[in-house]
Amino acid sequence: MMGVMTYRVCVVCMGNICRSPMAEVVLRKTLEDRGLGDRVTVESAGTGGWHAGDPMDERALRILAQHGYDGSVHRARQFTRDWFDRYDLVLAMDRDNVATLRRLTSEEVEVELFRSFDPAAPEGAEVPDPYYGGLEGFEEVLALVEAAAEGVAKHIADEIG
Protein backbone atom coordinates (compact mmCIF):
# COMPACT_ATOMS: atom_id res chain seq x y z
CA MET A 1 0.00 0.00 0.00
CA MET A 2 2.74 2.37 -0.98
CA GLY A 3 1.71 6.02 -0.74
CA VAL A 4 -1.33 5.38 1.45
CA MET A 5 -1.25 7.49 4.57
CA THR A 6 -2.39 6.18 7.91
CA TYR A 7 -5.21 8.05 9.66
CA ARG A 8 -4.51 8.31 13.40
CA VAL A 9 -7.06 8.48 16.20
CA CYS A 10 -6.56 8.96 19.94
CA VAL A 11 -9.34 8.34 22.44
CA VAL A 12 -8.91 10.18 25.74
CA CYS A 13 -10.34 9.91 29.26
CA MET A 14 -8.89 10.77 32.67
CA GLY A 15 -6.66 7.88 33.67
CA ASN A 16 -6.61 5.70 30.55
CA ILE A 17 -7.57 2.50 32.34
CA CYS A 18 -11.37 2.30 31.78
CA ARG A 19 -13.28 4.28 29.18
CA SER A 20 -10.68 5.28 26.60
CA PRO A 21 -8.97 1.89 26.37
CA MET A 22 -12.37 0.21 26.07
CA ALA A 23 -13.21 2.62 23.25
CA GLU A 24 -9.80 2.02 21.65
CA VAL A 25 -10.35 -1.74 21.54
CA VAL A 26 -13.94 -1.46 20.26
CA LEU A 27 -13.13 1.18 17.64
CA ARG A 28 -10.13 -0.78 16.38
CA LYS A 29 -12.31 -3.89 15.94
CA THR A 30 -15.06 -1.86 14.26
CA LEU A 31 -12.57 -0.41 11.79
CA GLU A 32 -11.09 -3.85 11.11
CA ASP A 33 -14.59 -5.22 10.44
CA ARG A 34 -15.15 -2.38 7.93
CA GLY A 35 -11.86 -3.21 6.15
CA LEU A 36 -10.11 -0.07 7.42
CA GLY A 37 -7.80 -1.66 9.97
CA ASP A 38 -4.73 -1.32 7.78
CA ARG A 39 -5.38 2.39 7.10
CA VAL A 40 -6.26 3.61 10.60
CA THR A 41 -4.43 3.38 13.90
CA VAL A 42 -6.32 3.79 17.15
CA GLU A 43 -4.63 4.59 20.44
CA SER A 44 -5.77 5.94 23.78
CA ALA A 45 -4.44 8.08 26.59
CA GLY A 46 -5.45 9.85 29.76
CA THR A 47 -5.35 13.53 30.65
CA GLY A 48 -3.80 12.51 33.97
CA GLY A 49 -0.66 10.45 34.40
CA TRP A 50 -1.29 8.69 37.71
CA HIS A 51 -1.98 5.32 36.00
CA ALA A 52 0.79 5.57 33.37
CA GLY A 53 2.17 2.11 32.67
CA ASP A 54 -0.72 0.30 34.35
CA PRO A 55 -2.86 -2.27 32.57
CA MET A 56 -6.55 -1.72 31.92
CA ASP A 57 -8.86 -1.94 34.93
CA GLU A 58 -9.71 -5.60 35.57
CA ARG A 59 -13.44 -4.89 35.38
CA ALA A 60 -13.03 -3.29 31.96
CA LEU A 61 -10.98 -6.27 30.78
CA ARG A 62 -13.60 -8.68 32.09
CA ILE A 63 -16.49 -6.94 30.35
CA LEU A 64 -14.57 -6.64 27.09
CA ALA A 65 -13.64 -10.34 27.21
CA GLN A 66 -17.26 -11.33 27.87
CA HIS A 67 -18.17 -9.57 24.64
CA GLY A 68 -15.35 -10.98 22.50
CA TYR A 69 -12.78 -8.18 22.78
CA ASP A 70 -9.18 -8.39 23.98
CA GLY A 71 -7.71 -5.50 25.93
CA SER A 72 -4.89 -7.42 27.56
CA VAL A 73 -1.98 -5.59 25.90
CA HIS A 74 -3.10 -2.11 26.98
CA ARG A 75 -0.82 0.06 29.12
CA ALA A 76 -1.98 3.49 30.28
CA ARG A 77 -0.33 6.63 28.90
CA GLN A 78 -0.75 10.35 29.45
CA PHE A 79 -1.67 12.67 26.58
CA THR A 80 0.79 15.54 26.26
CA ARG A 81 0.78 18.81 24.32
CA ASP A 82 3.01 17.56 21.50
CA TRP A 83 0.63 14.69 20.74
CA PHE A 84 -1.84 16.93 18.90
CA ASP A 85 0.46 16.81 15.87
CA ARG A 86 0.39 13.00 15.92
CA TYR A 87 -3.36 12.56 15.45
CA ASP A 88 -5.97 13.36 12.84
CA LEU A 89 -8.82 12.92 15.31
CA VAL A 90 -8.85 13.28 19.10
CA LEU A 91 -11.96 11.93 20.83
CA ALA A 92 -12.72 12.67 24.48
CA MET A 93 -15.03 10.71 26.72
CA ASP A 94 -16.52 13.76 28.47
CA ARG A 95 -16.57 17.56 28.48
CA ASP A 96 -14.03 17.79 31.32
CA ASN A 97 -11.50 15.93 29.20
CA VAL A 98 -12.30 18.14 26.19
CA ALA A 99 -11.58 21.21 28.33
CA THR A 100 -8.36 19.72 29.73
CA LEU A 101 -7.13 18.84 26.25
CA ARG A 102 -7.88 22.32 24.94
CA ARG A 103 -5.96 23.87 27.86
CA LEU A 104 -2.85 21.93 26.83
CA THR A 105 -2.27 24.17 23.86
CA SER A 106 -2.72 27.78 22.82
CA GLU A 107 -3.63 26.64 19.32
CA GLU A 108 -7.19 25.99 18.22
CA VAL A 109 -7.53 22.21 18.29
CA GLU A 110 -10.41 20.03 17.30
CA VAL A 111 -11.44 17.62 20.02
CA GLU A 112 -14.73 15.78 19.63
CA LEU A 113 -16.86 13.98 22.18
CA PHE A 114 -16.82 10.26 21.39
CA ARG A 115 -20.61 9.99 21.69
CA SER A 116 -21.16 12.85 19.25
CA PHE A 117 -20.83 10.18 16.55
CA ASP A 118 -23.81 8.20 17.88
CA PRO A 119 -26.86 9.51 16.01
CA ALA A 120 -29.15 8.33 18.84
CA ALA A 121 -27.21 10.21 21.53
CA PRO A 122 -28.38 13.67 22.63
CA GLU A 123 -26.11 16.61 21.86
CA GLY A 124 -23.26 16.83 24.37
CA ALA A 125 -23.70 13.22 25.53
CA GLU A 126 -20.76 11.81 27.46
CA VAL A 127 -19.41 8.39 28.37
CA PRO A 128 -19.68 8.25 32.18
CA ASP A 129 -16.71 7.19 34.30
CA PRO A 130 -17.42 3.71 35.74
CA TYR A 131 -14.33 3.59 37.97
CA TYR A 132 -16.04 4.05 41.35
CA GLY A 133 -18.96 1.74 40.58
CA GLY A 134 -19.61 -1.88 39.83
CA LEU A 135 -19.60 -4.02 36.71
CA GLU A 136 -22.89 -2.53 35.49
CA GLY A 137 -21.09 0.77 34.84
CA PHE A 138 -18.55 -0.99 32.65
CA GLU A 139 -21.37 -2.73 30.77
CA GLU A 140 -22.96 0.68 30.20
CA VAL A 141 -19.67 2.12 28.94
CA LEU A 142 -19.26 -0.77 26.50
CA ALA A 143 -22.80 -0.30 25.15
CA LEU A 144 -22.29 3.46 24.71
CA VAL A 145 -18.91 2.98 23.04
CA GLU A 146 -20.23 0.31 20.68
CA ALA A 147 -23.14 2.56 19.72
CA ALA A 148 -20.81 5.43 18.81
CA ALA A 149 -18.02 3.35 17.22
CA GLU A 150 -19.96 2.75 14.00
CA GLY A 151 -20.46 6.50 13.59
CA VAL A 152 -16.78 7.17 14.24
CA ALA A 153 -15.86 4.51 11.67
CA LYS A 154 -18.20 6.07 9.11
CA HIS A 155 -16.69 9.52 9.76
CA ILE A 156 -13.18 8.14 9.29
CA ALA A 157 -14.17 6.25 6.12
CA ASP A 158 -15.56 9.51 4.71
CA GLU A 159 -12.37 11.36 5.68
CA ILE A 160 -9.97 8.90 4.07
CA GLY A 161 -12.14 8.13 1.06
Side-chain angles (χ1 to χ4, degrees), residues 1 11 20 23 36 87 92 100 102 117 124 126 144 148 152 159:
M1 292 193 32
V11 186
S20 60
L36 298 171
Y87 298 103
T100 300
R102 287 185 177 148
F117 293 91
E126 302 175 305
L144 295 173
V152 175
E159 287 287 309

Side-chain angles (χ1 to χ4, degrees), residues 13-79:
C13 68
M14 288 179 67
N16 193 222
I17 60 168
C18 298
R19 296 174 289 174
S20 60
M22 290 178 78
E24 173 189 350
V25 169
V26 170
L27 182 55
R28 186 177 296 123
K29 174 79 167 81
T30 302
L31 290 162
E32 287 171 4
D33 290 349
R34 285 175 150 259
L36 298 171
D38 61 339
R39 296 183 61 198
V40 182
T41 61
V42 182
E43 299 175 353
S44 65
T47 55
W50 52 92
H51 290 295
D54 291 349
M56 194 181 308
D57 184 287
E58 288 184 22
R59 297 164 294 177
L61 282 169
R62 183 179 319 149
I63 295 304
L64 285 172
Q66 288 173 0
H67 292 271
Y69 299 101
D70 180 10
S72 62
V73 299
H74 175 77
R75 292 298 175 264
R77 304 176 313 150
Q78 183 176 11
F79 194 98

